[in-house]
Amino acid sequence: MHHPSPDPAPSHAGPALQQGLKGRQITMISIGGVIGAGLFVGSSTAVAAAGPAVLISFLLAAALVVLVMQMLGEMAVAHPDTGSFSTYADRALGRWAGFSIGWLYWWFYILVIPIEAIAAGEVIAGLTSVPSWIPALAMIALLAGSNLLAVRNYGEFEYWFALLKVVAIVAFLVLGALAIFGFLPGSDAHGVSHLWSDGGFAPKGGVAVLAGLLTAMFSFQGSEIVTIAAAESEEPKKNIKKAVRAVVWRLGLFYVGSIFVVVSLVPWNSDALADGSYQAVLDRMNIPGAGLIMDVVLVVAVSSCLNSAIYTASRMAFSLARRQDAPKALAATSAAGVPRNAVLASTVIGVAAVIANYLLPSVFTYLIASSGAIALMMYMVIAITQYATRRKEPRPTEVRMWAFPYLTLATIAFIAGVLVLMAVLPGHRLELWLSLALAAVLVTVGVLRQRRHGDRPTDDAGGTRATGATGDTDDTDAGGGTGVGPDVLAGQG
């Protein structure tokens, strides 16, 4: 039996999205969204950049994501929608904002598809000696096929992927605690002396802590996926509330806990970290088969991220098409309530990017750089949208941003500071300027579209209607040309 989604697609586009995700799947999606190769391998880059003080980098990044998720949760519980923050920006700031951030986010996850597929291909190629492009494309085909069948397939794949990642992290933390306290037989690493014995806690100074912050922040990307997926569950508000409440301890336990184990047991400047932070620790513990264990965990982690990337890109494309900001064919759904065209289109472009990596690697490098600051832009838009929404709508009762408006404004200022930091640090300038250039193009197109077509009316439930729909509008929403313009902060700060 199919249930209508909280914000259904136009009737001409086919059945609404199916509410096929279960509560246990939503819980695991919220966990798996923030656990990727960035934790198992990429965190070693942050450790090398900041030394043991990278703990501060991860604490700051975790604090930012917790605040952003609380703001997003406030809006998502009030109006569950598969377009998530793009739809909320559309209502609160204007059509140009929803259009711009929606396409930026879609582009980000389109590029996650080849990144994760290539990573999986290289690991599998190392284990089997087959050319890496074969398992890379095979992985995309498998998970795209799963996404095409029914949303519950995505949920079930992600449930088991996330569960395996959680088991791996918990096992790592248990082994790490045993080693730190000297209870792990055969381990060459114990104690926490590496926190200060290799040049001090912050051997490269405070600026390096900020550099580590950038790596840490991008490792947390993905926590927002749960607000997109929850719209396809039978109890979206309940599932979103549960996920938002749990994000604090998950981030603290999995990320900060893991990094604490790493910098306690391995010197921050050790060459062993080049193979990945987890593997470096397992090797020093003399865990047999550490390399093979990490290869398996990495394949699971990147498969999970690839699975989520296909799902997330397709749902954002579907939402944009439903709002008439993308080709209307992408709003069509199958009899099972799956946006099949959106899945296929996102997958095909992802495959093209994989091919570009092997045939035109320099072009692929620039493509990847163009998404380098999109996560920060998304966080900024969520914060500004929540600020604008709270000034228009009644005070929320179920999930509420703490200390509004002070923490919201502090979050906006912090993100702006991080963007300035990217402009200052040489290693991140290309990412920033390419991302800003892409954003500028999309904002320009969005503003021109808004001037030509105007804002859309919104329904009483907060869902954005297709242009030309009839009926009353909720005067607390941003419909009817009352959206806030690009100068929202100047006008309301």
Side-chain angles (χ1 to χ4, degrees):
M1 178 178 180
H2 297 269
H3 303 271
S5 69
D7 186 12
S11 58
H12 67 271
L17 294 181
Q18 186 184 45
Q19 294 182 327
L21 293 176
K22 302 182 183 300
R24 64 177 177 84
Q25 294 171 333
I26 293 293
T27 299
M28 280 300 177
I29 289 169
S30 68
I31 295 174
V34 292
I35 305 173
L39 173 60
F40 299 113
V41 177
S43 55
S44 60
T45 302
V47 173
V54 74
L55 284 169
I56 297 176
S57 303
F58 274 86
L59 283 169
L60 288 173
L64 173 64
V65 175
V66 167
L67 292 173
V68 169
M69 281 300 294
Q70 187 71 16
M71 288 185 269
L72 182 56
E74 177 182 294
M75 296 182 288
V77 167
H79 307 298
D81 190 286
T82 197
S84 189
F85 52 86
S86 173
T87 303
Y88 310 144
D90 192 311
R91 291 202 314 271
L93 307 180
R95 185 173 188 172
W96 67 272
F99 174 91
S100 305
I101 197 60
W103 278 113
L104 278 172
Y105 190 70
W106 175 85
W107 179 244
F108 179 91
Y109 271 102
I110 282 296
L111 292 179
V112 170
I113 293 174
I115 290 172
E116 303 299 345
I118 291 165
E122 290 177 350
V123 174
I124 295 173
L127 295 173
T128 62
S129 298
V130 300
S132 61
W133 63 270
I134 294 178
L137 293 178
M139 190 72 73
I140 293 178
L142 172 65
L143 295 176
S146 169
N147 272 271
L148 284 169
L149 296 176
V151 69
R152 65 176 178 272
N153 288 8
Y154 159 70
E156 200 62 22
F157 266 93
E158 196 56 28
Y159 175 83
W160 290 106
F161 282 149
L163 182 61
L164 289 171
K165 289 189 289 187
V166 169
V167 169
I169 293 173
V170 171
F172 178 80
L173 291 174
V174 170
L175 289 173
L178 291 174
I180 286 173
F181 289 106
F183 297 145
L184 188 65
S187 175
D188 292 333
H190 55 82
V192 295
S193 61
H194 288 301
L195 289 174
W196 60 82
S197 63
D198 304 297
F201 181 71
K204 292 191 174 183
V207 174
V209 174
L210 295 177
L213 171 65
L214 293 175
T215 301
M217 193 169 296
F218 295 125
S219 297
F220 289 133
Q221 173 72 16
S223 54
E224 76 291 336
I225 292 175
V226 68
T227 62
I228 296 173
E232 292 185 72
S233 66
E234 293 189 358
E235 297 180 288
K237 294 187 177 185
K238 176 183 175 182
N239 290 322
I240 292 171
K241 283 194 291 184
K242 185 187 299 184
V244 170
R245 288 194 196 105
V247 72
V248 178
W249 68 263
R250 286 173 190 155
L251 291 175
L253 176 64
F254 295 150
Y255 270 91
V256 181
S258 293
I259 297 302
F260 177 79
V261 169
V262 171
V263 295
S264 295
L265 297 176
V266 179
W268 68 270
N269 52 4
S270 171
D271 293 337
L273 287 171
D275 295 325
S277 50
Y278 265 52
Q279 184 168 333
V281 175
L282 293 177
D283 284 337
R284 286 182 63 84
M285 291 178 180
N286 292 317
I287 301 297
L292 178 60
I293 292 171
M294 285 314 305
D295 282 343
V296 173
V297 171
L298 278 176
V299 170
V300 170
V302 298
S303 298
S304 171
C305 292
L306 174 56
N307 190 40
S308 288
I310 294 172
Y311 171 83
T312 306
S314 66
R315 267 41 178 196
M316 188 55 70
F318 168 82
S319 177
L320 287 165
R322 186 184 55 197
R323 287 177 272 149
Q324 301 186 355
D325 282 333
K328 65 180 181 180
L330 298 180
T333 54
S334 67
V338 174
R340 192 166 289 174
N341 290 344
V343 172
L344 286 172
S346 300
T347 302
V348 167
I349 297 173
V351 168
V354 171
I355 295 172
N357 172 68
Y358 292 104
L359 300 181
L360 302 166
S362 59
V363 172
F364 184 73
T365 299
Y366 281 102
L367 291 179
I368 296 302
S370 70
S371 68
I374 290 177
L376 285 171
M377 295 177 187
M378 176 194 70
Y379 293 157
M380 178 75 86
V381 168
I382 290 172
I384 295 174
T385 299
Q386 188 266 339
Y387 179 79
T389 301
R390 275 286 288 273
R391 291 177 66 90
K392 296 178 182 181
E393 296 188 353
R395 191 177 184 187
T397 57
E398 296 186 79
V399 175
R400 186 181 304 162
M401 178 58 185
W402 310 296
F404 179 84
Y406 307 107
L407 275 180
T408 297
L409 294 175
T411 301
I412 293 170
F414 182 79
I415 296 171
V418 175
L419 289 171
V420 171
L421 179 65
M422 290 187 72
V424 172
L425 295 177
H428 296 277
R429 287 175 186 165
L430 179 64
E431 296 175 4
L432 176 65
W433 298 125
L434 285 178
S435 297
L436 287 176
L438 177 60
V441 171
L442 288 172
V443 168
T444 300
V445 174
V447 170
L448 291 176
R449 286 177 62 84
Q450 182 170 319
R451 288 179 177 176
R452 186 178 301 120
H453 302 294
D455 273 335
R456 282 174 293 273
T458 53
D459 61 25
D460 290 338
T464 305
R465 287 192 183 135
T467 302
T470 59
D472 297 332
T473 59
D474 185 345
D475 61 8
T476 64
D477 285 330
T482 60
V484 181
D487 56 348
V488 58
L489 287 183
Q492 295 192 32

